[in-house]
Amino acid sequence: MIEENVSLPRIHYLNSHYGWKSWLFTTDHKRIGLLYMVSITLMFFLGGFFALLIRLELLTPQADLFNADTYNKFFTLHGVILIFFFLVPSIPATLGNFLIPLMIGAKDVAFPKLNLLSWYIFVIGSLFTLWVVAVGGIDTGWTFYTPYSTTFANTHVIAATLGVFFTGFSSILTGLNFIVTIHKMRAPGLTWFRLPLFIWSLYATSIIQVLATPVLGITMVLVAVERFARVGIFDPALGGDPVLFQHMFWFYSHPAVYIMILPSLGVVSELISAFTWKRVFGYKFVAVSSLMIAIFSFIVWGHHMYVSSMSIYAGMLFSILSYLVAVPSAVKVFNWTATLYKGSVSYDTPMLYALGFIGLFTIGGLTGLFLASMGLDRHLHDTYFVIAHFHLIMVGGAVMGYFGGLHYWWPKMFGRMYPEWWGRLSALIVFVGFNLSFFPQFIIGYLGMPRRYHVYAPEFQVLNVMSTAGSSILGVGYVLPLIYFIWSLRYGKVAANPWRAKGLEWTTTSPPPPENFFEQPIVTEEAYNYPVRPAQPTRHTGKLTGGLAQPVGTTGKGREAEVV
Ligand code: HEM
Ligand SMILES: [Cu+2]
């Protein structure tokens, strides 16, 4: 433990009001962040449970446990729950809600009541989906491809699409709230290029949420209407066009994959800076690259449809544009690496997650380039290669970023530390389990095993067994934090800023008071004004004493940190 002699503040946002009403009617962004955290954690483990069932069935080439229909339902529920009800809201709705006002020196978000409404809408959407789970499931795949979803599927498509439709509103309202908050409520002196990179990434994410989500909402309603009233939008038998659905779906869902990954990129920038005690190399490039990613994300959706009768010229255009997305992503990876170079890195749990993130995100992104090339995609489309690609980015990347952020800001949220040794152990288990789960899938996919099948050719068994073994390890890695986080709420060592990190959020008490700051912070320097080296490098051994964060801008020390 790093800090000594710290005590919890007498009044903070957790104990300022008591009783369930004070939570369900709260407009405090910090409490709403926690409400989201509880909800998405439930969804995370529910979706994870279906993953476990999928991997169990795939342990052997035959159908031992489930028939095809049941299997289809399991992978659909797995995808729908984890994409729409966990990954999309994960970082923005929990860490974003909790941290944006703290990091920009504001009392709350711009529209606190709208913020609470977003959570209720999210809960309603989740209830639709839970209802679908209870009454027998849905088997269309998380992509709801037509005409299967509109015409042939004999499952609860309408309820599931309505669930997604509802949660879409929650996403839009959160994005809107964040955009206005970041524009209007920054503390005096906090100019755009003094903002933490996490704020930049959430700003870019919010733009996607506001602009892309309506398209998904409309698409989901059209599927429901088509199914219910047979109007002939997507069903070719009625004069509709199923490829239209794919365009509309991916016009949201490609940008949406960046809703899932951009916030993590922001978290990782914060972590790299905090655990190397340096300003992120090329701050402005990293900041602007988030916006570039957001913009590019809108114009590459066609790379999901190379094999859906798209003209070769359209395909070429989408292919070139897809390659361009790699540029701003690579800017981030290069600049993080440059930040690490000659930094005095401390390998605490959040940093382990951040380093894992960089490796997996890079591999995930590079395999995206394979898929974006039209010739290779013809071979790899709808195989396990695609599954491996997006799990590397969305689980290896986005979820790792979320876990890294959760560990980093946990003492900020609750004023207590999780047990560091267990944290590192779980980060290690997650990393090993993850790679064992998904790396073999690149090979099976390349060899030709299609996705979404519950029986397969016997020659794929060895790699599938590896994958299933890996996912059980991964499961352990995810359950551990659940246990020790809950444990730490009561028994964790009291801590205010164990990392001696910079940033406005660390200048107030941990946990923060209901109004965030006792007086309006004024910013005179950019984020991350770390001195060149930590004063007491014994941080690695964890035996350091003292050392609270310097409030940003209250000292001239650390200007030299800009010379990176
Ligand atoms: C940065 C984060 C990224 C995320 C979160 C992501 C996520 C995904 C997801 C979820 C899918 C599968 C969709 C499905 O169920 O069919 C997918 C497929 C695909 N991704 Fe990515 N991806 C990312 C980066 C990239 C990059 C940089 C490229 C190209 C330069 C790329 C190219 C592709 C292509 C072409 C496919 C479709 C493959 C096929 O269906 O044959 N991705 N990605
Ligand atoms: Cu895409």
Side-chain angles (χ1 to χ4, degrees), residues 302-303 306 314-324 369 372-374:
H303 64 207
Y306 292 144
M316 278 162 61
L317 190 66
F318 279 121
S319 181
I320 294 166
L321 290 172
S322 302
Y323 273 77
L324 288 182
L369 296 175
S373 79
M374 284 160 57

Side-chain angles (χ1 to χ4, degrees), residues 100 398 476 478 513:
I100 289 181
V476 173
Y478 284 147

